[in-house]
Amino acid sequence: MARPDKAAAVAELADQFRSSNAAVLTEYRGLTVAQLKTLRRSLGEDAQYAVVKNTLTKIAANEAGISTLDDLFNGPTAVAFISGDPVTSAKGLRDFAKDNPNLVIKGGVLDGKALSADEIKKLADLESREVLLAKLAGAFKGKQTQAAQVFQALPSKLVRTVDALRAKQDEQGGAE
């Protein structure tokens, strides 16, 4: 029979898996408490980094419908539950891992899709959502400006053509 404290822990972890956009599993062997505190700060406000028990977390992930992480629950494991922009948190993990080789990114899940450690590093290489939206807005604005120039060019070209025809008629009328 399951103990009530373990059942509550599984339920809480399952809720975190369900409510998160992404979850990244890491191995933290050899990191100090101060380094873990620094890591938590580097992940941003929309991420929660928790040291977890493998068996309970595996059960919770399966309850949340995530069975692709089962092979990653070995050794000392911590999970970054990301509720905001996953790119920002992935960058925080990648940058921290560069400075602290004891942090090993094992893999994770993004919107229900399993991610390998390499895919998480590629995710970290993306620009943030705000930057991508700004670039998209700039591209739209540029295309609108080009369209406005084309639409303005048509009437002015028509006026120049009509003026040229009028001038030609005036020349032909004056020559007779």
Side-chain angles (χ1 to χ4, degrees):
M1 176 127 186
R3 291 190 352 217
D5 58 334
K6 288 186 178 183
V10 167
E12 182 181 339
L13 287 168
D15 285 342
Q16 284 183 311
F17 274 113
R18 284 187 202 102
S19 65
S20 299
N21 297 336
V24 179
L25 276 67
T26 64
E27 183 176 317
Y28 64 93
R29 187 187 330 250
L31 293 177
T32 65
V33 173
Q35 288 172 322
L36 287 174
K37 188 175 181 181
T38 303
L39 172 59
R40 285 185 175 100
R41 271 186 264 138
S42 71
L43 292 178
E45 295 178 9
D46 297 329
Q48 201 174 22
Y49 190 75
V51 174
V52 295
K53 293 188 180 231
N54 289 333
T55 306
L56 299 180
T57 309
K58 185 175 181 180
I59 293 168
N62 286 325
E63 281 185 15
I66 303 169
S67 59
T68 56
L69 301 177
D70 288 354
D71 296 339
L72 302 178
F73 291 112
N74 51 29
T77 303
V79 181
F81 294 103
I82 304 163
S83 58
D85 185 11
V87 174
T88 304
S89 297
K91 284 182 185 193
L93 284 168
R94 178 199 60 196
D95 295 344
F96 187 85
K98 282 182 185 176
D99 296 336
N100 300 284
N102 288 336
L103 180 74
V104 177
I105 298 172
K106 294 180 178 184
V109 63
L110 174 65
D111 294 328
K113 180 188 176 288
L115 297 176
S116 69
D118 289 335
E119 289 171 323
I120 292 170
K121 289 175 184 170
K122 287 179 185 175
L123 180 66
D125 292 336
L126 291 177
E127 293 174 333
S128 71
R129 182 177 190 271
E130 290 78 20
V131 171
L132 292 174
L133 288 174
K135 284 185 175 185
L136 182 64
F140 281 143
K141 184 179 179 189
K143 292 298 178 187
Q144 287 176 341
T145 303
Q146 288 175 344
Q149 290 171 347
V150 167
F151 292 135
Q152 287 176 346
L154 292 175
S156 66
K157 186 175 181 181
L158 177 65
V159 169
R160 286 193 304 271
T161 304
V162 170
D163 283 343
L165 286 173
R166 189 176 299 135
K168 189 173 185 178
Q169 283 180 345
D170 288 344
E171 282 179 15
Q172 288 178 352
E176 291 179 17

